[in-house]
Amino acid sequence: MEDIHTNLSEQQIIRRKKLYQLKLLGINPYPSEEYVVTTTICNIRKNFTEKETISIAGRLMRLRILGKASFGEIKDHTGCMQIYFTQDHLFLSPDQIKKEDAYNVFLKKLIDIGDIIGVKGILFKTKMDEITIHVHQFTLLSKSIRPLPQVKMDKNKKIYDAFSNTEQRYRMRYVDLIVNDHVKEIFLKRTRIIKKIRNFFDKKGYLEVDTPILQSIPGGAIARPFETYHNTLGIPLYLRIANELYLKRLIIGGFHGVYEFSRNFRNEGMDRLHNPEFTVLELYVAYKDYYWMMNFTEKLMKCICNKFQKKENNHFNFQTPFPRIPILDSIKKYTGFDIKEMGKEELRKVCQKLHIEENIKMSKAKLIENIFEEKCEKNYINPTFIIDYPVEMSPLTKRHRYNENLSERFELIINGQEIANAYSELNDPIDQLDRLREQMKLRNTKNESISIDQDFIRALEFGMPPTAGIGIGIDRLVMLLTQEKSIQEVLFFPQMRPEKIGKK
């Protein structure tokens, strides 16, 4: 990355000069003393009392100098409010300059939009009935030496010159949060959704746990991991691609139900639905199966979505029960091909006819997955369980109790995308080892110490109770409930290419 302090703009140079002038006046533009805040803007609006004296702090968002009186706007973490300055009643705190200079020198010449300030004053309402603070004491808490983008409106109140370039917004999320109020609401909603899920699970008596992010074997899913090296142990380690195998160890250890909001990492492609790091909620409950988990998931989703889905835009119907459709039936419906008895070569020919990506290296499971994702998934807008996947697609899942060629697995599809993936968990250690070895062959890997978690197999040999497990994509769920089309919109800091700063 190039030095961001080269090629300063005219505005940046002017602000740095103001910074120097403040220091010459003996004013610390970055004071360390506590600033006492007595209320918030939200509380003021809810509990307005005429002539009440208050003290708040926030960022100066507007400033309009009008001779001996000026209006501005201050923004704290709860909202924005108008502030009013007059030459005769403004004092600077701390008291380093003369009273008469507080307005004419300090406010008029040395303060900029974007500065973080503290104001003490008296509440009143203007003739336009707008709640306003008449500022009597003014404190600079942090000088902004880089100007904010100014969101403007025309006569018809249509926004222009907004900070709307997506790449800039994702790179400078801190600016995005300052100037685009709706962005903050997305992340507040994300936190509330996670809290609601946590409360739902806690009331059921399930235990929230933490499992390792650094793992010696990247297990629990098929994905390319990020690799690092531990100098003291002298071994390679991997950022987790899934936490599934560790949560199952806890079920084996005697916990009834465990869950984790897991930050996972996969060194793979990026698009509007995928980021190299993402959040998945995983839950495992002993003595349950995937039928129970479907019923449980319906209750969970109905609870969350009835609370957080926008009332004015009810695009999805969360009425239970959700449809339950076998994946092979779905493929037959939307492609016309019955693939139940097909082998790998026949599936490749189907893909060719449907113009779906395929090659000789793809497994049978991958070919079926491609067909479903390309031709079927987009058709399921309302919540739908796609069930009973071929056993080749589900190496950690129990074989179906009525058909050993299928597995007891479902995916929850909403708005044409996978939101959750769940199994009746495979607890037969011999079958599990055989299926992992078969998976290893498909990946053209001979090193079992890297591809198979032998300690997990050993744990299964001590006996794991029948267990139902589910993974829910938190980022996608938040996208759904905020009606955002890109995962980058619901991540504070999505992964980006290195920025080229300073080059013209």
Side-chain angles (χ1 to χ4, degrees), residues 274-310:
H274 298 90
N275 193 68
E277 55 178 310
F278 56 98
T279 302
V280 173
L281 165 68
E282 296 230 4
L283 166 73
Y284 293 82
V285 184
Y287 308 109
K288 306 298 183 184
D289 62 10
Y290 87 136
Y291 290 114
W292 176 89
M293 187 60 83
M294 276 188 268
N295 294 333
F296 180 86
T297 303
E298 287 176 341
K299 294 173 186 174
L300 173 64
M301 296 304 295
K302 193 171 183 179
C303 171
I304 298 168
C305 297
N306 283 349
K307 180 173 180 60
F308 293 106
Q309 187 177 202
K310 290 184 178 179

Side-chain angles (χ1 to χ4, degrees), residues 231-280:
N231 292 325
T232 301
L233 295 177
I235 59 171
L237 290 174
Y238 306 88
L239 293 180
R240 69 179 168 204
I241 57 175
N243 60 342
E244 178 171 341
L245 303 188
Y246 284 92
L247 293 175
K248 288 181 183 178
R249 284 174 170 93
L250 297 179
I251 295 294
I252 293 166
F255 288 104
H256 170 66
V258 292
Y259 72 93
E260 181 178 15
F261 289 93
S262 173
R263 200 69 171 170
N264 294 347
F265 307 83
R266 298 186 182 179
N267 194 0
E268 297 180 336
M270 295 171 57
D271 56 36
R272 71 177 190 87
L273 296 178
H274 298 90
N275 193 68
E277 55 178 310
F278 56 98
T279 302
V280 173

Side-chain angles (χ1 to χ4, degrees), residues 72-191:
E73 185 178 70
I74 188 172
K75 180 179 185 179
D76 72 2
H77 65 286
T78 67
C80 290
M81 177 164 285
Q82 183 168 269
I83 51 179
Y84 174 64
F85 306 91
T86 55
Q87 181 176 314
D88 296 335
H89 293 90
L90 184 64
F91 295 85
L92 181 64
S93 178
D95 189 18
Q96 286 109 335
I97 65 174
K98 299 176 183 178
K99 175 183 178 299
E100 56 267 26
D101 290 335
Y103 186 88
N104 291 320
V105 176
F106 188 71
L107 181 66
K108 280 188 172 183
K109 298 180 179 179
L110 300 179
I111 293 299
D112 292 296
I113 291 171
D115 290 351
I116 296 174
I117 60 174
V119 297
K120 294 180 181 179
I122 298 173
L123 296 177
F124 73 101
K125 283 189 178 182
T126 66
K127 292 179 181 179
M128 301 299 292
D129 204 36
E130 183 170 356
I131 298 174
T132 304
I133 305 168
H134 187 179
V135 179
H136 287 178
Q137 196 174 77
F138 185 100
T139 307
L140 177 63
L141 301 176
S142 183
K143 181 66 180 171
S144 171
I145 60 173
R146 187 179 287 265
L148 288 174
Q150 290 297 295
V151 178
K152 303 171 186 174
M153 291 187 180
D154 61 19
K155 294 179 180 178
N156 297 317
K157 294 189 175 182
K158 290 184 178 179
I159 293 175
Y160 68 100
D161 280 354
F163 188 64
S164 57
N165 179 280
T166 52
E167 183 170 337
Q168 283 187 318
R169 288 181 51 241
Y170 300 156
R171 288 194 190 281
M172 296 189 287
R173 183 67 86 186
Y174 38 90
V175 177
D176 193 26
L177 290 165
I178 292 169
V179 301
N180 292 323
D181 290 337
H182 72 280
V183 174
K184 186 176 181 181
E185 288 303 314
I186 292 171
F187 293 102
L188 290 174
K189 193 170 190 178
R190 179 188 176 109
T191 296

Side-chain angles (χ1 to χ4, degrees), residues 372-431:
F372 178 77
E373 289 182 352
E374 287 289 326
K375 299 298 181 181
C376 308
E377 197 172 52
K378 62 187 176 184
N379 296 291
Y380 299 107
I381 304 303
N382 287 323
T384 303
F385 291 125
I386 302 298
I387 66 173
D388 300 349
Y389 285 66
V391 71
E392 297 92 342
M393 300 180 73
S394 312
L396 297 170
T397 311
K398 275 190 173 182
R399 294 177 187 271
H400 202 285
R401 65 198 71 179
Y402 303 124
N403 184 341
E404 67 174 11
N405 294 318
L406 302 176
S407 61
E408 295 196 350
R409 171 186 174 188
F410 72 80
E411 287 189 350
L412 174 62
I413 310 295
I414 310 176
N415 199 29
Q417 62 189 41
E418 175 198 343
I419 300 296
N421 187 21
Y423 316 146
S424 293
E425 302 294 336
L426 180 57
N427 60 346
D428 179 340
I430 295 173
D431 189 14

Side-chain angles (χ1 to χ4, degrees), residues 446-464:
K446 295 182 180 180
N447 190 344
E448 283 196 11
S449 66
I450 293 177
S451 299
I452 297 179
D453 189 336
Q454 297 288 352
D455 177 69
F456 172 64
I457 300 299
R458 178 170 61 188
L460 283 180
E461 290 172 352
F462 282 95
M464 184 174 84

